[in-house]
Each structure stands twice: as C-alpha cells, then as structure tokens.
Amino acid sequence: MYKYYGLAAFVVILDQWTKWLIVKNMEYQERISVWDPWFGILSHRNRGAAWGMLEGQMWLFSIVTIGVICAVLYFYHKEAKGKPLFQVGLMLLLGGAIGNFIDRIFRGEVVDFVNVLIPVINYDFPIFNIADAALTMAVVILMIGLIVEDKKGKKQVKE
C-alpha cells in the first residue's frame, strides 16, 4: 500500500523541478512556442486558486490544502485498501496539492507555465503546471473509481 506514496513524491519532484526550470531560465511572461499557436511554455505566476480566483487569500489556501492533505491520507489508509484506482487517484491528488502548497509557502505564488490554445473553439485554456495536471487527473481517476466501485456493488447485490 505504501508503494503508491512514490507516485505522490514523483509528482512533487517533477512539479518543483519544472517550476524551478521556468523561474531560473525564463523571464516573467516570456513565452517559448512549442507548437504555435496551440502549445507553448509561458512563464506565469498565480496568486490565487484555479484560474486566479480568490487572489491573495493565502491563509484560506493554506487551511484548505492542509485539510485536503489530511482527508487524502485518511481516505487512503481507511478506504482505499485493495482499490488501485482510488490509491492512484488519491496519491495524484496528494502530490498535486503538496506541489502547489510548496509554491505558496516559499514563493507566495504558484508558478504556472503550460499554455494551451484549443483550436476548434479558439479557447485560450488557463495556464497550468504539473501539480494542476495531477490534480485534474486525480479527479478523473477518482470519478472512474467511484463508477467502477458502484458497478461492483450493484453486481454483488444481484448475486
């Protein structure tokens, strides 16, 4: 069961390493085109939550993040045993939460850098980072896990 903590650690390390690379090698708002105009690396900072909401509310983010970390650890040890999808989802959630929390504590802001334009609808997606991607994947995996568990439960009731 503890092997999944390596996934959380990997997310935190990859997240912090990529953010360090951005801070050390790019000027703020500098953009490097990777696949113009749809994908680029853009040095950006976020003092809020997702999409810049609640900017400057550091105390709130700290409380929420500590609560999320405690909840993840509780559910991981009490509810996720023998459920690999839940274990992976919770560890991605843990790694993403810790990755952005480190930024907020030590930088006072979160370093974002992945810049995506969705071509069909011409939507400039909010700039994000590895921790944000891990959080999003965690939500998707946890939702899939809930659906799988629900179907297992219904199948067991029928038998």
PDB file of all heavy atoms in Angstrom, residues 26 29-43 113 115-117:
ATOM      1  N   MET A  26      13.633  31.589 -17.506  1.00  0.00           N
ATOM      2  CA  MET A  26      12.739  32.426 -18.301  1.00  0.00           C
ATOM      3  C   MET A  26      12.387  33.704 -17.544  1.00  0.00           C
ATOM      4  O   MET A  26      12.286  33.698 -16.319  1.00  0.00           O
ATOM      5  CB  MET A  26      11.444  31.665 -18.632  1.00  0.00           C
ATOM      6  CG  MET A  26      11.643  30.472 -19.549  1.00  0.00           C
ATOM      7  SD  MET A  26      10.093  29.600 -19.876  1.00  0.00           S
ATOM      8  CE  MET A  26       9.260  30.779 -20.949  1.00  0.00           C
ATOM      9  N   GLN A  29       6.476  36.238 -17.978  1.00  0.00           N
ATOM     10  CA  GLN A  29       5.659  36.446 -19.182  1.00  0.00           C
ATOM     11  C   GLN A  29       6.377  36.089 -20.486  1.00  0.00           C
ATOM     12  O   GLN A  29       5.807  36.285 -21.564  1.00  0.00           O
ATOM     13  CB  GLN A  29       5.102  37.881 -19.257  1.00  0.00           C
ATOM     14  CG  GLN A  29       4.086  38.205 -18.180  1.00  0.00           C
ATOM     15  CD  GLN A  29       2.827  37.358 -18.255  1.00  0.00           C
ATOM     16  OE1 GLN A  29       2.465  36.810 -19.282  1.00  0.00           O
ATOM     17  NE2 GLN A  29       2.141  37.227 -17.115  1.00  0.00           N
ATOM     18  N   GLU A  30       7.593  35.584 -20.405  1.00  0.00           N
ATOM     19  CA  GLU A  30       8.277  35.118 -21.620  1.00  0.00           C
ATOM     20  C   GLU A  30       7.580  33.847 -22.097  1.00  0.00           C
ATOM     21  O   GLU A  30       7.188  32.992 -21.307  1.00  0.00           O
ATOM     22  CB  GLU A  30       9.751  34.832 -21.306  1.00  0.00           C
ATOM     23  CG  GLU A  30      10.536  34.325 -22.501  1.00  0.00           C
ATOM     24  CD  GLU A  30      11.974  33.983 -22.154  1.00  0.00           C
ATOM     25  OE1 GLU A  30      12.417  34.254 -21.019  1.00  0.00           O
ATOM     26  OE2 GLU A  30      12.659  33.425 -23.030  1.00  0.00           O
ATOM     27  N   ARG A  31       7.432  33.711 -23.425  1.00  0.00           N
ATOM     28  CA  ARG A  31       6.769  32.537 -23.999  1.00  0.00           C
ATOM     29  C   ARG A  31       7.688  31.866 -25.000  1.00  0.00           C
ATOM     30  O   ARG A  31       8.286  32.522 -25.843  1.00  0.00           O
ATOM     31  CB  ARG A  31       5.465  32.916 -24.689  1.00  0.00           C
ATOM     32  CG  ARG A  31       4.681  31.711 -25.193  1.00  0.00           C
ATOM     33  CD  ARG A  31       3.337  32.135 -25.780  1.00  0.00           C
ATOM     34  NE  ARG A  31       2.461  31.010 -25.984  1.00  0.00           N
ATOM     35  CZ  ARG A  31       2.506  30.179 -27.025  1.00  0.00           C
ATOM     36  NH1 ARG A  31       3.435  30.338 -27.959  1.00  0.00           N
ATOM     37  NH2 ARG A  31       1.641  29.187 -27.120  1.00  0.00           N
ATOM     38  N   ILE A  32       7.792  30.548 -24.878  1.00  0.00           N
ATOM     39  CA  ILE A  32       8.527  29.742 -25.849  1.00  0.00           C
ATOM     40  C   ILE A  32       7.498  28.914 -26.594  1.00  0.00           C
ATOM     41  O   ILE A  32       6.766  28.115 -25.999  1.00  0.00           O
ATOM     42  CB  ILE A  32       9.550  28.811 -25.149  1.00  0.00           C
ATOM     43  CG1 ILE A  32      10.571  29.630 -24.362  1.00  0.00           C
ATOM     44  CG2 ILE A  32      10.223  27.894 -26.168  1.00  0.00           C
ATOM     45  CD1 ILE A  32      11.460  28.794 -23.457  1.00  0.00           C
ATOM     46  N   SER A  33       7.438  29.106 -27.890  1.00  0.00           N
ATOM     47  CA  SER A  33       6.478  28.377 -28.703  1.00  0.00           C
ATOM     48  C   SER A  33       6.966  26.941 -28.914  1.00  0.00           C
ATOM     49  O   SER A  33       8.115  26.716 -29.287  1.00  0.00           O
ATOM     50  CB  SER A  33       6.291  29.071 -30.050  1.00  0.00           C
ATOM     51  OG  SER A  33       5.357  28.356 -30.816  1.00  0.00           O
ATOM     52  N   VAL A  34       6.100  25.991 -28.680  1.00  0.00           N
ATOM     53  CA  VAL A  34       6.418  24.590 -28.918  1.00  0.00           C
ATOM     54  C   VAL A  34       5.682  24.118 -30.169  1.00  0.00           C
ATOM     55  O   VAL A  34       6.266  23.499 -31.049  1.00  0.00           O
ATOM     56  CB  VAL A  34       6.040  23.710 -27.695  1.00  0.00           C
ATOM     57  CG1 VAL A  34       6.284  22.239 -27.973  1.00  0.00           C
ATOM     58  CG2 VAL A  34       6.801  24.163 -26.457  1.00  0.00           C
ATOM     59  N   TRP A  35       4.406  24.429 -30.263  1.00  0.00           N
ATOM     60  CA  TRP A  35       3.595  24.097 -31.426  1.00  0.00           C
ATOM     61  C   TRP A  35       2.649  25.265 -31.641  1.00  0.00           C
ATOM     62  O   TRP A  35       1.536  25.280 -31.139  1.00  0.00           O
ATOM     63  CB  TRP A  35       2.857  22.790 -31.177  1.00  0.00           C
ATOM     64  CG  TRP A  35       2.102  22.263 -32.359  1.00  0.00           C
ATOM     65  CD1 TRP A  35       2.300  22.558 -33.669  1.00  0.00           C
ATOM     66  CD2 TRP A  35       1.025  21.342 -32.304  1.00  0.00           C
ATOM     67  NE1 TRP A  35       1.419  21.879 -34.449  1.00  0.00           N
ATOM     68  CE2 TRP A  35       0.613  21.107 -33.630  1.00  0.00           C
ATOM     69  CE3 TRP A  35       0.369  20.689 -31.291  1.00  0.00           C
ATOM     70  CZ2 TRP A  35      -0.423  20.249 -33.959  1.00  0.00           C
ATOM     71  CZ3 TRP A  35      -0.667  19.835 -31.617  1.00  0.00           C
ATOM     72  CH2 TRP A  35      -1.054  19.617 -32.934  1.00  0.00           C
ATOM     73  N   ASP A  36       3.156  26.253 -32.344  1.00  0.00           N
ATOM     74  CA  ASP A  36       2.470  27.532 -32.481  1.00  0.00           C
ATOM     75  C   ASP A  36       1.203  27.395 -33.303  1.00  0.00           C
ATOM     76  O   ASP A  36       1.219  26.748 -34.342  1.00  0.00           O
ATOM     77  CB  ASP A  36       3.434  28.547 -33.119  1.00  0.00           C
ATOM     78  CG  ASP A  36       3.162  29.955 -32.680  1.00  0.00           C
ATOM     79  OD1 ASP A  36       2.615  30.135 -31.590  1.00  0.00           O
ATOM     80  OD2 ASP A  36       3.506  30.865 -33.440  1.00  0.00           O
ATOM     81  N   PRO A  37       0.102  27.955 -32.902  1.00  0.00           N
ATOM     82  CA  PRO A  37      -0.135  28.735 -31.693  1.00  0.00           C
ATOM     83  C   PRO A  37      -0.767  27.911 -30.565  1.00  0.00           C
ATOM     84  O   PRO A  37      -1.181  28.443 -29.549  1.00  0.00           O
ATOM     85  CB  PRO A  37      -1.141  29.796 -32.177  1.00  0.00           C
ATOM     86  CG  PRO A  37      -2.002  29.040 -33.143  1.00  0.00           C
ATOM     87  CD  PRO A  37      -1.058  28.057 -33.826  1.00  0.00           C
ATOM     88  N   TRP A  38      -0.829  26.605 -30.728  1.00  0.00           N
ATOM     89  CA  TRP A  38      -1.623  25.762 -29.823  1.00  0.00           C
ATOM     90  C   TRP A  38      -0.956  25.367 -28.515  1.00  0.00           C
ATOM     91  O   TRP A  38      -1.628  25.059 -27.547  1.00  0.00           O
ATOM     92  CB  TRP A  38      -2.087  24.501 -30.553  1.00  0.00           C
ATOM     93  CG  TRP A  38      -2.914  24.846 -31.745  1.00  0.00           C
ATOM     94  CD1 TRP A  38      -4.169  25.378 -31.733  1.00  0.00           C
ATOM     95  CD2 TRP A  38      -2.544  24.726 -33.097  1.00  0.00           C
ATOM     96  NE1 TRP A  38      -4.610  25.594 -33.019  1.00  0.00           N
ATOM     97  CE2 TRP A  38      -3.630  25.195 -33.881  1.00  0.00           C
ATOM     98  CE3 TRP A  38      -1.405  24.274 -33.756  1.00  0.00           C
ATOM     99  CZ2 TRP A  38      -3.613  25.215 -35.256  1.00  0.00           C
ATOM    100  CZ3 TRP A  38      -1.392  24.284 -35.126  1.00  0.00           C
ATOM    101  CH2 TRP A  38      -2.480  24.764 -35.862  1.00  0.00           C
ATOM    102  N   PHE A  39       0.356  25.361 -28.492  1.00  0.00           N
ATOM    103  CA  PHE A  39       1.037  24.901 -27.278  1.00  0.00           C
ATOM    104  C   PHE A  39       2.343  25.656 -27.085  1.00  0.00           C
ATOM    105  O   PHE A  39       3.134  25.804 -28.020  1.00  0.00           O
ATOM    106  CB  PHE A  39       1.322  23.393 -27.367  1.00  0.00           C
ATOM    107  CG  PHE A  39       2.011  22.833 -26.164  1.00  0.00           C
ATOM    108  CD1 PHE A  39       1.341  22.684 -24.960  1.00  0.00           C
ATOM    109  CD2 PHE A  39       3.352  22.469 -26.227  1.00  0.00           C
ATOM    110  CE1 PHE A  39       1.984  22.176 -23.845  1.00  0.00           C
ATOM    111  CE2 PHE A  39       4.001  21.955 -25.121  1.00  0.00           C
ATOM    112  CZ  PHE A  39       3.321  21.809 -23.923  1.00  0.00           C
ATOM    113  N   GLY A  40       2.545  26.142 -25.866  1.00  0.00           N
ATOM    114  CA  GLY A  40       3.773  26.849 -25.562  1.00  0.00           C
ATOM    115  C   GLY A  40       4.080  26.810 -24.072  1.00  0.00           C
ATOM    116  O   GLY A  40       3.266  26.383 -23.257  1.00  0.00           O
ATOM    117  N   ILE A  41       5.270  27.253 -23.751  1.00  0.00           N
ATOM    118  CA  ILE A  41       5.706  27.385 -22.365  1.00  0.00           C
ATOM    119  C   ILE A  41       5.700  28.880 -22.064  1.00  0.00           C
ATOM    120  O   ILE A  41       6.403  29.654 -22.723  1.00  0.00           O
ATOM    121  CB  ILE A  41       7.130  26.803 -22.167  1.00  0.00           C
ATOM    122  CG1 ILE A  41       7.216  25.353 -22.679  1.00  0.00           C
ATOM    123  CG2 ILE A  41       7.558  26.917 -20.714  1.00  0.00           C
ATOM    124  CD1 ILE A  41       6.303  24.377 -22.007  1.00  0.00           C
ATOM    125  N   LEU A  42       4.884  29.284 -21.080  1.00  0.00           N
ATOM    126  CA  LEU A  42       4.736  30.694 -20.742  1.00  0.00           C
ATOM    127  C   LEU A  42       4.990  30.869 -19.248  1.00  0.00           C
ATOM    128  O   LEU A  42       4.302  30.283 -18.427  1.00  0.00           O
ATOM    129  CB  LEU A  42       3.329  31.186 -21.086  1.00  0.00           C
ATOM    130  CG  LEU A  42       2.950  32.593 -20.638  1.00  0.00           C
ATOM    131  CD1 LEU A  42       3.809  33.633 -21.349  1.00  0.00           C
ATOM    132  CD2 LEU A  42       1.482  32.852 -20.893  1.00  0.00           C
ATOM    133  N   SER A  43       6.002  31.650 -18.918  1.00  0.00           N
ATOM    134  CA  SER A  43       6.332  31.905 -17.512  1.00  0.00           C
ATOM    135  C   SER A  43       5.262  32.810 -16.906  1.00  0.00           C
ATOM    136  O   SER A  43       5.141  33.974 -17.271  1.00  0.00           O
ATOM    137  CB  SER A  43       7.709  32.562 -17.415  1.00  0.00           C
ATOM    138  OG  SER A  43       8.028  32.840 -16.079  1.00  0.00           O
ATOM    139  N   PHE A 113       3.022  27.395 -16.203  1.00  0.00           N
ATOM    140  CA  PHE A 113       3.811  27.545 -17.426  1.00  0.00           C
ATOM    141  C   PHE A 113       3.274  26.825 -18.653  1.00  0.00           C
ATOM    142  O   PHE A 113       3.733  27.069 -19.757  1.00  0.00           O
ATOM    143  CB  PHE A 113       5.268  27.094 -17.181  1.00  0.00           C
ATOM    144  CG  PHE A 113       5.382  25.679 -16.700  1.00  0.00           C
ATOM    145  CD1 PHE A 113       5.496  24.626 -17.593  1.00  0.00           C
ATOM    146  CD2 PHE A 113       5.379  25.404 -15.345  1.00  0.00           C
ATOM    147  CE1 PHE A 113       5.601  23.334 -17.142  1.00  0.00           C
ATOM    148  CE2 PHE A 113       5.497  24.109 -14.881  1.00  0.00           C
ATOM    149  CZ  PHE A 113       5.600  23.065 -15.786  1.00  0.00           C
ATOM    150  N   ASN A 115       0.890  26.514 -21.538  1.00  0.00           N
ATOM    151  CA  ASN A 115      -0.027  27.410 -22.233  1.00  0.00           C
ATOM    152  C   ASN A 115      -0.629  26.667 -23.424  1.00  0.00           C
ATOM    153  O   ASN A 115       0.089  26.272 -24.331  1.00  0.00           O
ATOM    154  CB  ASN A 115       0.740  28.657 -22.671  1.00  0.00           C
ATOM    155  CG  ASN A 115      -0.130  29.705 -23.331  1.00  0.00           C
ATOM    156  OD1 ASN A 115       0.275  30.259 -24.331  1.00  0.00           O
ATOM    157  ND2 ASN A 115      -1.284  29.997 -22.791  1.00  0.00           N
ATOM    158  N   VAL A 116      -1.954  26.477 -23.398  1.00  0.00           N
ATOM    159  CA  VAL A 116      -2.640  25.698 -24.431  1.00  0.00           C
ATOM    160  C   VAL A 116      -3.773  26.508 -25.035  1.00  0.00           C
ATOM    161  O   VAL A 116      -4.572  27.107 -24.313  1.00  0.00           O
ATOM    162  CB  VAL A 116      -3.206  24.379 -23.834  1.00  0.00           C
ATOM    163  CG1 VAL A 116      -4.011  23.598 -24.867  1.00  0.00           C
ATOM    164  CG2 VAL A 116      -2.096  23.524 -23.259  1.00  0.00           C
ATOM    165  N   LEU A 117      -3.845  26.507 -26.344  1.00  0.00           N
ATOM    166  CA  LEU A 117      -4.964  27.095 -27.077  1.00  0.00           C
ATOM    167  C   LEU A 117      -5.718  25.939 -27.720  1.00  0.00           C
ATOM    168  O   LEU A 117      -5.134  25.142 -28.460  1.00  0.00           O
ATOM    169  CB  LEU A 117      -4.459  28.064 -28.156  1.00  0.00           C
ATOM    170  CG  LEU A 117      -5.532  28.663 -29.062  1.00  0.00           C
ATOM    171  CD1 LEU A 117      -6.402  29.643 -28.284  1.00  0.00           C
ATOM    172  CD2 LEU A 117      -4.900  29.354 -30.259  1.00  0.00           C
TER     173      LEU A 117
END
